[in-house]
Amino acid sequence: EVHLVESGGGLVQPGRSLRLSCAASGFTFDDFGMHWVRQAPGKGLEWVAGVNWNSDSIGYADSVKGRFTISRDNAKNSLYLQMNNLRAEDTALYYCAKAMEWEFDSWGQGTQVTVSS
Amino acid sequence: SSELTQDPAVSVALGQTVTITCQGDSLRRFYASWYQQKPGQVPVLIIYGQNNRPSGIPDRFSDSSSGNTASLTITGAQAEDEADYYCNSRDSSGNLVVFGGGTKLTVL
């Protein structure tokens, strides 16, 4: 059974940084692309970033490009999201998601990021 | 703003059929996928590719597409189908992912 567990969220001041992690198990991690999707309180889903199986293809939403960096460590079955220069509008529940191709067939429970002074 | 557009809310009588649409230029080239999210729960993939359902998803869920519009149809809506539904696909460049704004389905 696929299991994705996010961690690293919390309360942070605007302009500061945070690093999210996602620990994966139950599947061959380096066979699949992985993504981060967020959901602000009471709002819809927003794709944040994605990385293919070997990290040679990476994409970001315009809203985070230049501030966030997605990475993965296949040896550790882990996905990361380095978030710099955080803004209030980055406040959301951040989900780690496993991709089949461009669709997400497994999701973690999410980790909450709150940006506030 | 999203490159995929969904109606914010749709309602259906119990046991009737309802269609939720998703519009966007990228849908002329790429398939949409559909997710169901119930309050306080994680999104669940219900349709992907050309009308494919993951294991465990009831066959009352189906999808179709025409031009720039993808449609999710629930045939014989049940009370447990009341949820938010999101479409997603690639963006117009084909390199990024986009979600629709979501449709809140109410089963009357």
Side-chain angles (χ1 to χ4, degrees), chain A residues 35 37 39 43-47 57-62 65 95 100-110, chain B residues 33 35 37 40-45 47-49 54 84 86 88-90 94-102:
Chain A
H35 296 253
V37 177
Q39 188 167 32
K43 302 296 184 183
L45 301 174
E46 180 188 14
W47 177 76
S57 178
I58 286 176
Y60 298 95
D62 287 345
K65 198 168 187 178
Y95 293 106
M100 292 193 296
E101 291 200 18
W102 295 88
E103 53 280 316
F104 307 141
D105 63 339
S106 297
W107 299 62
Q109 292 296 313
Chain B
S33 298
Y35 303 81
Q37 186 180 34
Q41 296 187 19
V42 173
V44 174
L45 178 67
I47 294 281
Y48 66 96
D84 293 326
Y86 296 91
N88 92 317
S89 186
R90 301 194 214 183
N95 297 319
L96 305 179
V97 176
V98 288
F99 279 92

Side-chain angles (χ1 to χ4, degrees), chain A residues 14-33:
Chain A
R16 304 298 291 264
S17 299
L18 211 55
R19 190 193 194 209
L20 306 184
S21 299
C22 172
S25 60
F27 65 103
T28 304
F29 185 70
D30 55 10
D31 275 352
F32 296 94

Side-chain angles (χ1 to χ4, degrees), chain A residues 1-71:
Chain A
E1 180 185 357
V2 174
H3 206 45
L4 300 170
V5 180
E6 303 92 339
S7 61
L11 173 63
V12 62
Q13 293 178 329
R16 304 298 291 264
S17 299
L18 211 55
R19 190 193 194 209
L20 306 184
S21 299
C22 172
S25 60
F27 65 103
T28 304
F29 185 70
D30 55 10
D31 275 352
F32 296 94
M34 296 294 296
H35 296 253
W36 289 99
V37 177
R38 69 185 181 184
Q39 188 167 32
K43 302 296 184 183
L45 301 174
E46 180 188 14
W47 177 76
V48 173
V51 58
N52 75 332
W53 68 278
N54 66 353
S55 304
D56 71 356
S57 178
I58 286 176
Y60 298 95
D62 287 345
S63 57
V64 306
K65 198 168 187 178
R67 300 187 298 122
F68 289 12
T69 301
I70 189 172
S71 62

Side-chain angles (χ1 to χ4, degrees), chain B residues 5-80:
Chain B
T5 301
Q6 298 182 240
D7 291 330
V10 170
S11 62
V12 61
L14 184 67
Q16 296 304 300
T17 296
V18 63
T19 296
I20 296 169
T21 61
C22 174
Q23 290 187 302
D25 285 342
S26 65
L27 299 181
R28 297 183 186 277
R29 298 169 59 199
F30 307 115
Y31 289 117
S33 298
W34 293 91
Y35 303 81
Q36 178 192 68
Q37 186 180 34
K38 297 180 180 179
Q41 296 187 19
V42 173
V44 174
L45 178 67
I46 57 173
I47 294 281
Y48 66 96
Q50 191 172 8
N51 200 25
N52 298 303
R53 282 175 285 106
S55 174
I57 302 302
D59 61 5
R60 64 178 179 273
F61 293 94
S62 64
D63 92 326
S64 62
S65 68
S66 178
N68 72 337
T69 301
S71 301
L72 172 70
T73 297
I74 307 174
T75 303
Q78 302 299 302
E80 61 264 31

Side-chain angles (χ1 to χ4, degrees), chain A residues 70-89:
Chain A
I70 189 172
S71 62
R72 64 188 295 162
D73 185 337
N74 288 343
K76 295 183 178 179
N77 287 354
S78 293
L79 177 72
Y80 306 101
L81 186 68
Q82 177 66 42
M83 304 186 296
N84 298 332
N85 190 20
L86 283 160
R87 306 167 179 168
E89 55 264 36

